[in-house]
Structures are given as structure tokens and as C-alpha cells.
Amino acid sequence: MRIEEVKWRRRGKASVTRMEKPSLLRVLSPKLILHKNDKPAGLRWLIGSPFFPPLTVVSALKCIHTDSSSSPGYTRESEELRTLLPKGFHVVGVLVVADSDEEKRGGEAVAAARRLRKLMCGGSERMDEQGVIGAVAESRGGGIRFYVSKSESCERFQCVDVVYVTVYDDDPERFVWERGCLIWCELPLKLPSYYPVNKPSDTVRIAQHAIEAVVAKFKDPKAAYLVETLSKTSSEVPQPVIIRGGDLDFDMNLSDVKLLGESGHDSYAKFLPCSHFCLESKKDSREYSAENADMIKVNILLNSSEKSQKSTAPVAEYFPALEEVRMLVVDFKLEVLCYAAKDLPLMHAVSKLVIPGLIDQLNIEGKTILPNLLAQRPQLHPYHFNPPGVLHPITVIYELNYGETEMKQVEVRKSLHVRLGLPCDRPLLRIASALDFSGLRNDPIRKGTTLLKDVHIGIPSSGVSGGSVSLVQGSYEYYHYLQDGFNDSGWGCAYRSLQTIISWFRLQHYTSIDVPLHREIQQSLVEIGDKDPSFIGSREWIGAIELSFVLDKLLGVSCKVMNFRSGAEVPEKCRELALHFENQGTPIMIGGGVLAYTLLGVDYNDASGDCAFLILDPHYTGNDEHKKIVNGGWCGWKKAVDSKGKSFFLHDKFYNLLLPQRPNMV
């Protein structure tokens, strides 16, 4: 944890008041702090949660729409942020850049935040009880000044003399996911409607009435909400509970909801907190993320016969059409993700998060679908993502009529990358990257395989004093000798290293091809003319050059090759290897003599030259047991020269290092 003290003098007019006590401003977003040195352009919305202390910033999302006067396009921004942000997160402030008159810009930032929040809340939230942050970054690269307004009037706001900005450098995810959980609700809808053949212009109006009828059903006292856990790792899974629509209070403001303490665990469903369906403890800090959060599922039911006085036979009503009509069935795919404090009562989680989320998504999809009812209707599907560097999940509605490589979809993803501050050269928001809540979760191995992933996580330190560690980015699978009942001991280490590298590209969604078998790798080399047909089925070794050919043919991935006449030269390139992991992040294949390894990272002290290499050894022949692999040294740090004076890289052997390059794509 790092504490920064930001100080400035009181200036300007009497409209800026001095706070009696210092305020604690908690900033969890690393991107916001980096803006101090990056000289940001444009405006950024500061995101928080009603379940956190008022002055808590979770993320900063860039404003990407402006009007003719270069002011924020509030309507488009509010519509997109209502889709993007899960219920349970909202706008708490604005960050702007100022060349001068910072107090004036601070007031403008507060006003902008209030205006956008009102649009997003539809006027249902009482603004005077919630603090709004106006942050002003100096364009010269100085610090960020924070102004706080707790008044509906933006003409008076508080300029803080001393603000303690708390940045959770080590584990910001823990702050978010210790306090909260995710609620997921999936609801496919088929809305039938009839429209007059002679008046096709009435189609949109009639379909809109059908949508309004669905919204009314969500709030119907006869509706029932079945709540259950999606966390399958607990030995004792709580039984599902039903919350009746008649128990829900849709008029209560979320700011009025009182969180339940430990005494709130009542047997009556309406008083149960969300924590009733959460795991009691986490194993380690790696589990603090949206992907591993405690998950609650809500299913919607409609009890049409509740409180019926007597048994009756089914009744069919007949409404004769006065003119020729046709039936139109419109498909909607609703899937909302909400964030809730674990102490929030389930009944309020449903009424204040889940149902508003469903209504918002239904209206947003309807706005796109309805104008095209009699033409080719858009096929919309919501997806949820947990992009790197963003502490909360996001929801994106993609149109599936367009392929992922078509320019319209590419442009949509590019704009999302800009808004979220993501690099525009890697596929982080493709459908294959979406969170999947339908299957087993919290599984240390990849779904559908028995292969271990990311075996380097949690291994002991390298032993380099004062070094800087650079590691592989993202996930990979560990391939080694004798897997899948195939005996490649003594000759297949380079094949296994290649399989590990290709698994990395699969798991980062650069490709959807299966990891090739040894024979398929050999077939690829024959097809490009590098090997004779007799090579297929042989036990001949391959090296870094052959691996580069296969990656180019199967994935379209280019590679750099570093050549060393002696192993003594490898440590001299530690700085260059560190830059590869920081910029490219792909695993590296090491070929030397008759052995091949996979390099996952380096630890390098620039001043002393001391270094270590994180080696994943494909020569392992045992079972896929993480503890056994790490304790046996099959994945671990190898010093260039160990305590006994032995060099890891042999001085009498040549070495080739293969550095795969990331394709430039979104």
C-alpha cells in the first residue's frame, strides 16, 4: 500500500470552502494515478460504487463522444455507460486536464459528473446526499487536485487542503471482492405481437407495447425470483430461496437501503443477505477477481395461479381481428451482471440491481431492434468481460450478424479499448474472452482438459537481490514428456515447448485452432517444404527455426530469433529479454545443444548484473501435480550462476532463443 499526500493552497473566490477535516480519498484505479505523468487528453469519468465509501474511485473511463462545442456528448455517454457498467457501479466524479484556473475546471468537472449521473439514474437518485469528485490534472504533468461537492448546487464545492490518496498497489482487487459478489441473471425472451398488414408503420408501436408489458411483469406481485449459488467449490451448497415480487420495494432508493451485519442471517428469504450464498473464505489472493468472485444466480418465475380461490380449468380468450394481421416474434437475449455488497439484503439486490438491469438492457436492445423489425433484425447478445487493469467487469452488447473480423465489429472493439485504456494491439474483448458463468468455476485446470495452467504462479523467489522481475503475460498450459499416453521422451522437448507457446496464443484468443500433436507439427513442416515426407512419424529433433515456421503457418505469428555461440552470452541479453516480456509477454523457447526449455520470465539487477531465468522444463515425465512439479524444480528460477558456481547455460553449447511476437489486432 502506498500513501500519497497531495497538498495545495486555498485560492480564488468564496465559492470554494475549506473542509474542517481532511478527507480520505481512496483511489483503486492504477490508470488514474498514471495520468499524472501521462499528460492525459480529454475527460475521464471516475467510477465508484454505492457500496464503497463515497470518495472511492474504482476506475477511470474515457469520454469518447463530444457534441459540436467539444463538450461531452452526455446522452450517448450515458446510454453506453448504462450498458457497460454493471448495476452496483456508477459515476462518482470527473477527471479533466487544466492549463490554468484549476478551481474553475474543478467546478466544471463536478457539474459534468452530476449531469451524467442524473441521466444515468433517470432522476431517481437523490443527488444532494452523495459527494461528487472533481479531479483536475495539470497539463504540465504535475499532480491531481481533488474538489468535493456535497451540494446540489455546483457553485459551491469544497477544495480539500490535504487529501490522503490511498492507492492499493499490492491488491486492489481484494478491496472490491472481499466486500462484494456478482449476481447473474439470464433471460431469453420471445415477444409475439400482431400488426395490421395495411399499416406496417404501427409495427414499432405495437412491439414497444409488448416490451412495456414485459417490464410490468418484472414488477408484478405474482413474479417470483429464485436465488441460488453458482459457486460449486463449497462442500455445503446453500439451498435456493424464492423471493416473491410482492415483498419487493421498488420505490426505495438504494442509498436508503441498510446493509445487514452478521445478525442479519434470518431464515426468512426477504431478510437474507447476499453473503448467504457466498463462500466463507478465499484460499489465496489469486482468487480476488471478477472471474473468481462469489456468484449468485437469479431465475425469474411467474406464478399465475397464486392465491387462487378455487380450481379452474384453463381459459382461452378470443379477440377477433378487425382487419388482416400478421404475427411477428421478436427475440431478445437478456443477460445482466450486477455487483452487490455481501451484506446487502437479497430482496434489495433483486429490486434495486437485477430488475433495473434487465429493464435497461431490454430497452437498449429494443432501441436497436425495433426500427428494423420488418427488415433484417439485429441479432444482439450481451457478453461480460474482465479486462486487465479494470477492477470491475463490463458488459458489451455485440451484434452477431457481423463477424468478429468485419470492420464494423473491429471499430466497436477499438472504441471500447480507447474508453477502457486498453492496448489497441491485442484481442481482449472478443467473444472468446467473455466470462462464462454457465459451467464449472474456480477450476485450477482448463475446462475440458487435464492440463495445468500457469504453474509458475506462487513459486519461490529467484534469489536475485534488488532485481526487477518481468514475466509472461496471460495464461498458458504446461506440456511435457509422456502426456496423452504419447512417448516422446528423449526427443520431443521442442515439440512440447511449441505446444505450450501455442496454448498461450489460444488462451489469449489470438487463435481458435487446437494445440497440434507431434505428427501435425511434422506435417506442417513437410507442407511448407522444410522437411521431406519421411519426417512425418519420425523422432527427429526440431529447433527454434522449425518452431518459427510452424507458428507462421498455423497462427500467422512472426518470431524473432536470438543466436548465441555460447551459453555464457545469454545473461548479457537479460535486459532485452525483460523488454520482450514487458512488451510482448509471450513465452520464449530456448534451444541449446540437444535440449529445449520454455522461458517464462527473467529477474535482472541492472546495477550488479545478477540475473535469474524462470524455466518451464518440458522434460518432466510425472503426473500433472502442481506441488510435485514446483518442488522438483521442473518450473522454477534458475540463476545464471548458482551458489556452487555452476552455470545454467553451458559455455560449450550454442543456444537459439525464439521470441514469438504478438499479432497487432483487437
Side-chain angles (χ1 to χ4, degrees), residues 188-210:
L189 291 175
K190 287 185 178 292
L191 298 188
S193 60
Y194 295 87
Y195 69 94
V197 173
N198 297 326
K199 294 181 180 179
S201 58
D202 288 350
T203 309
V204 173
R205 177 180 56 81
I206 294 171
Q208 183 61 49
H209 288 166

Side-chain angles (χ1 to χ4, degrees), residues 454-492:
D454 309 332
V455 292
H456 71 284
I457 296 178
I459 65 172
S461 62
S462 69
V464 174
S465 177
S468 178
V469 177
S470 302
L471 298 175
V472 62
Q473 301 175 23
S475 293
Y476 60 88
E477 292 171 326
Y478 180 28
Y479 284 82
H480 57 79
Y481 279 169
L482 305 185
Q483 276 181 333
D484 303 321
F486 184 74
N487 186 359
D488 58 345
S489 181
W491 61 275

Side-chain angles (χ1 to χ4, degrees), residues 384-397:
H384 312 291
F385 298 91
N386 183 26
V390 182
L391 300 182
H392 55 78
I394 63 166
T395 299
V396 181
I397 300 176

Side-chain angles (χ1 to χ4, degrees), residues 207-406:
Q208 183 61 49
H209 288 166
I211 290 178
E212 293 169 358
V214 172
V215 171
K217 290 292 186 183
F218 289 150
K219 300 182 179 182
D220 194 315
K222 295 180 180 179
Y225 297 87
L226 177 67
V227 185
E228 58 184 336
T229 183
L230 273 182
S231 300
K232 305 297 185 182
T233 57
S234 176
S235 58
E236 296 182 3
V237 178
Q239 292 298 311
V241 300
I242 292 180
I243 298 176
R244 301 182 184 277
D247 292 334
L248 301 179
D249 186 347
F250 296 101
D251 297 325
M252 178 181 289
N253 195 286
L254 188 59
S255 60
D256 296 327
V257 174
K258 294 183 178 180
L259 301 182
L260 299 173
E262 295 181 359
S263 60
H265 291 258
D266 196 288
S267 59
Y268 187 32
K270 67 181 290 186
F271 295 117
L272 282 175
C274 292
S275 59
H276 176 74
F277 291 106
C278 297
L279 301 180
E280 293 184 359
S281 62
K282 294 289 187 182
K283 294 180 180 178
D284 54 53
S285 60
R286 283 184 291 163
E287 295 190 7
Y288 290 106
S289 67
E291 191 170 9
N292 293 311
D294 288 301
M295 286 290 304
I296 299 173
K297 183 180 180 181
V298 175
N299 301 284
I300 302 178
L301 311 171
L302 190 64
N303 187 355
S304 301
S305 61
E306 184 181 20
K307 298 181 181 179
S308 176
Q309 297 296 321
K310 58 182 179 179
S311 299
T312 58
V315 176
E317 296 186 70
Y318 173 64
F319 299 96
L322 301 179
E323 55 185 313
E324 184 181 358
V325 297
R326 289 181 181 173
M327 186 178 76
L328 184 69
V329 179
V330 185
D331 291 320
F332 287 89
K333 172 67 174 178
L334 305 184
E335 186 177 315
V336 300
L337 193 65
C338 308
Y339 176 86
K342 292 182 180 180
D343 290 337
L344 181 70
L346 283 169
M347 59 179 294
H348 295 314
V350 171
S351 63
K352 305 309 299 180
L353 300 175
V354 175
I355 295 177
L358 289 169
I359 294 173
D360 273 355
Q361 201 170 95
L362 181 60
N363 288 329
I364 289 168
E365 291 190 15
K367 186 176 181 180
T368 303
I369 293 175
L370 295 190
N372 302 283
L373 283 176
L374 300 181
Q376 183 181 7
R377 294 195 293 272
Q379 185 182 356
L380 304 180
H381 193 296
Y383 294 96
H384 312 291
F385 298 91
N386 183 26
V390 182
L391 300 182
H392 55 78
I394 63 166
T395 299
V396 181
I397 300 176
Y398 283 144
E399 184 173 340
L400 302 186
N401 288 334
Y402 297 96
E404 284 199 311
T405 59
E406 290 187 53

Side-chain angles (χ1 to χ4, degrees), residues 61 147 189 317 322 325 344 407 442 467 610 654:
L61 306 184
Y147 301 83
L189 291 175
E317 296 186 70
L322 301 179
V325 297
L344 181 70
M407 187 52 63
N442 298 332
D610 191 17
F654 71 90

